[in-house]
Amino acid sequence: MIIKLILLGIEIAFLTFLTSSFERKHPTLREKNRRPTLPYVKLITFVIVLVVLFMAGDYVFNKLSPLLNLVFVFSLCSFPQVISGLFSTVK
């Protein structure tokens, strides 16, 4: 279980790095330059991700191959950022 938490931390760090490098390349799309059109979108999607991860976590971590496991968890980690980007406009 500790190894899985370390891998999850590495995935979140990698996602944070990708987000910051993308925002540095495209300054108009930085999070501080966006205005959300729906309040608490990121929080709601984060809660949905946690519920899905807890519901499917046993299957994902024990039954899937390590590559599919990595893809599934990485996509869940990036889901709140993508959804909040869809429901925001440039200031």
Side-chain angles (χ1 to χ4, degrees), residues 26-41:
H26 304 286
T28 57
L29 299 177
R30 288 186 181 153
E31 186 151 0
K32 65 180 180 182
N33 292 339
R34 293 186 297 193
R35 179 183 1 206
T37 55
L38 294 175
Y40 306 111
V41 165

Side-chain angles (χ1 to χ4, degrees), residues 50-70:
L50 284 179
V51 167
V52 168
L53 191 59
F54 283 126
M55 289 175 59
D58 185 45
Y59 177 77
V60 169
F61 289 125
N62 294 328
K63 306 277 191 286
L64 292 180
S65 69
L67 180 61
L68 286 176
N69 182 1
L70 181 72

Side-chain angles (χ1 to χ4, degrees), residues 4-54:
K4 294 173 187 173
L5 289 176
I6 291 172
L7 287 176
L8 183 62
I10 290 171
E11 290 173 10
I12 290 172
F14 183 67
L15 181 66
T16 303
F17 169 73
L18 288 178
T19 301
S20 65
S21 65
F22 179 78
E23 288 177 350
R24 203 173 316 123
K25 188 174 180 180
H26 304 286
T28 57
L29 299 177
R30 288 186 181 153
E31 186 151 0
K32 65 180 180 182
N33 292 339
R34 293 186 297 193
R35 179 183 1 206
T37 55
L38 294 175
Y40 306 111
V41 165
K42 196 177 279 190
L43 177 68
I44 293 169
T45 54
F46 182 71
V47 169
I48 291 170
V49 164
L50 284 179
V51 167
V52 168
L53 191 59
F54 283 126

